[in-house]
Amino acid sequence: QEQLVESGGGLVQAGDSLRISCAASGRTFSRYAMGWFRQAPGKEREFVATISWSGSGTYYANSVKGRFTISRDNAKNTVYLQMNSLKPEDTAVYYCAAKEGRSSGSYYLASWNYDYWGQGTQVTVSS
């Protein structure tokens, strides 16, 4: 059982950077692929980025590719999302999710793959 807690959200201006974190409490975090998703008001939850449990595999949504970087520190049971060149359209609640990976390089894009979810952290980008 994994419990996930996001942190680091806040209000920033367009062009700024922000790093959000997701801390996991389970003992098997190093075997979980992790994902970041976001949901803006009135919109469906959408995929942002994912990383395999080894960190060797990553994948990004086109809308954030080149601006966002997902990383993890298995010793700290934490996954990060570094967000640069933020835009007002990045405003959303950001959720992290975990799924036991099939292999060290496996990652997952679809939300239905994930078994555990955090409560979310608000990121607001003003223009």
Side-chain angles (χ1 to χ4, degrees):
Q1 184 89 10
E2 290 288 332
Q3 290 188 338
L4 307 175
V5 179
E6 300 95 335
S7 62
L11 173 63
V12 297
Q13 293 188 334
D16 284 353
S17 297
L18 192 66
R19 189 179 78 163
I20 57 178
S21 304
C22 172
S25 62
R27 297 184 178 182
T28 56
F29 175 78
S30 62
R31 292 297 185 184
Y32 280 82
M34 302 296 294
W36 283 101
F37 293 79
R38 66 187 182 186
Q39 187 167 18
K43 294 188 176 181
E44 293 187 353
R45 188 173 298 187
E46 65 174 1
F47 166 78
V48 176
T50 180
I51 187 167
S52 64
W53 57 255
S54 69
S56 63
T58 58
Y59 194 88
Y60 297 90
N62 287 335
S63 58
V64 306
K65 197 175 296 182
R67 299 188 299 122
F68 290 11
T69 302
I70 188 171
S71 62
R72 66 189 297 157
D73 185 338
N74 287 344
K76 295 182 178 180
N77 279 16
T78 302
V79 64
Y80 305 97
L81 187 68
Q82 176 68 44
M83 303 182 290
N84 298 330
S85 302
L86 282 160
K87 304 175 181 180
E89 51 263 43
D90 295 318
T91 295
V93 177
Y94 283 72
Y95 298 91
C96 69
K99 174 193 168 49
E100 187 168 0
R102 189 177 301 120
S103 70
S104 62
S106 298
Y107 53 78
Y108 305 89
L109 278 66
S111 60
W112 55 262
N113 278 307
Y114 289 86
D115 302 310
Y116 305 104
W117 291 83
Q119 83 292 344
T121 187
Q122 177 71 47
V123 173
T124 303
V125 185
S126 64
S127 57

